[in-house]
Amino acid sequence: MADINTLKLESPFLRYGVAIVSVLLALVLTELIEPLRVRTPFPLFFAAVAVSAWYGGIGPGLLATALSAITTEYFFLPKSEEFMIGLGGFIQLIVFVLVSILISSLDTARKRAEKESSERLRESNERYSSLWEHAEDPMLRIDVEKKIIAINKRVEEVIGVAGEEILGSSIYCIFPDEYYQAFDEIFRCTLEGNKADTVEMEILTRDKRSITMEIDMRGVLEGSILRAVQIHLRDVSKRKEIEQEL
């Protein structure tokens, strides 16, 4: 169910009300700075259009444009004795309307692009989450302090530990002592932004069995900052047994 803030933002009365209030505010402020105003009364009305388009979209933006044009023509643009604005005022008004429509259109295009980008990101995250959970190989994610922050189902199945048992623990809990140094080397290489070589290490299961795994790491970025490291484990114990038999 949508929250109150979402309902308010979607309310046409509120969106168009912002446009009307913005124009009224621009009118009052323009009247107040009348002694300082030179050549054109439009700057604060451009602001009213921009605020209306930003908050409510192209509809309120166009409403603010129309109200601003009527207001400035009535109150501020010089007129002849026949109450007709001159050529200069007419040109200013036309330029204001065209630029205001451009402002509303650009803001609408920006919002559409942001929405599409957000949708693509959400779909990408959903696909990645599905691939993560249903991957054939065990996968873990650790933070820069080597604490386990995420595992997929295959980790539970292969190593024999539940997520609540291992999350927050040091990654060293799944390695024999003799592999700590080798792990640190590829971990440091990944943190430095380099592609570490795939290496083979032994992984300890809950029942103290040892499984030979290929370990591949990659950094996980948030923007340009590396926040975590993803570890891909691939069971190569059967391959090693075949190699030994040969």
Side-chain angles (χ1 to χ4, degrees):
M1 184 172 65
D3 58 27
I4 293 177
N5 291 332
T6 301
L7 291 175
K8 284 183 177 180
L9 187 60
E10 293 177 350
S11 167
F13 295 104
L14 184 60
R15 293 190 295 115
Y16 285 90
V18 167
I20 295 171
V21 171
S22 297
V23 174
L24 289 175
L25 183 60
L27 170 61
V28 172
L29 293 177
T30 303
E31 287 281 10
L32 290 176
I33 65 171
E34 174 67 22
L36 303 177
R37 182 169 55 82
V38 293
R39 295 188 179 180
T40 177
F42 293 112
L44 292 176
F45 291 95
F46 277 124
V49 171
V51 169
S52 301
W54 167 77
Y55 187 83
I58 192 167
L62 294 177
L63 175 62
T65 299
L67 292 177
S68 296
I70 294 170
T71 301
T72 51
E73 190 278 333
Y74 184 82
F75 287 99
F76 301 113
L77 293 180
K79 301 177 180 64
S80 65
E81 294 180 356
E82 292 80 18
F83 298 98
M84 298 292 290
I85 61 173
L87 179 60
F90 179 75
I91 293 174
Q92 288 186 64
L93 192 61
I94 292 299
V95 170
F96 169 78
V97 170
L98 293 177
V99 172
S100 295
I101 291 173
L102 178 62
I103 290 172
S104 297
S105 300
L106 289 176
D107 194 75
T108 299
R110 176 187 61 81
K111 288 180 178 178
R112 185 182 299 114
E114 288 178 351
K115 182 178 180 180
E116 291 174 353
S117 177
S118 177
E119 285 294 321
R120 287 195 297 268
L121 179 60
R122 181 185 61 80
E123 292 172 0
S124 176
N125 288 338
E126 289 177 353
R127 287 195 299 270
Y128 177 80
S129 178
S130 178
L131 289 172
W132 167 274
E133 284 300 325
H134 298 93
E136 295 183 359
D137 296 324
M139 301 178 73
L140 306 92
R141 188 170 290 184
I142 61 177
D143 61 20
V144 294
E145 296 180 351
K146 304 175 190 174
K147 301 293 185 182
I148 299 172
I149 57 176
I151 64 173
N152 69 350
K153 292 180 181 179
R154 283 295 289 162
V155 172
E156 299 182 8
E157 296 168 358
V158 172
I159 300 180
V161 293
E164 58 269 18
E165 297 179 74
I166 197 173
L167 293 179
S169 301
S170 168
I171 188 64
Y172 293 136
C173 70
I174 68 171
F175 295 112
D177 296 353
E178 60 266 27
Y179 289 101
Y180 289 1
Q181 183 176 352
F183 179 88
D184 285 346
E185 289 178 0
I186 59 175
F187 181 74
R188 184 168 51 254
C189 180
T190 303
L191 288 184
E192 291 172 352
N194 301 316
K195 180 66 176 72
D197 294 334
T198 300
V199 298
E200 292 183 2
M201 294 186 187
E202 300 294 321
I203 300 295
L204 295 175
T205 66
R206 175 190 283 276
D207 56 8
K208 303 305 179 183
R209 290 185 300 108
S210 181
I211 304 175
T212 304
M213 294 276 194
E214 277 187 352
I215 297 181
D216 184 60
M217 292 188 192
R218 71 173 184 85
V220 178
L221 300 176
E222 288 185 10
S224 59
I225 301 175
L226 191 146
R227 297 293 190 187
V229 171
Q230 184 165 297
I231 303 174
H232 183 181
L233 304 176
R234 184 176 295 105
D235 187 348
V236 295
S237 53
K238 291 183 179 179
R239 189 189 72 192
K240 299 296 288 186
E241 291 175 0
I242 294 173
E243 289 176 353
Q244 290 176 357
E245 291 176 0
L246 295 176

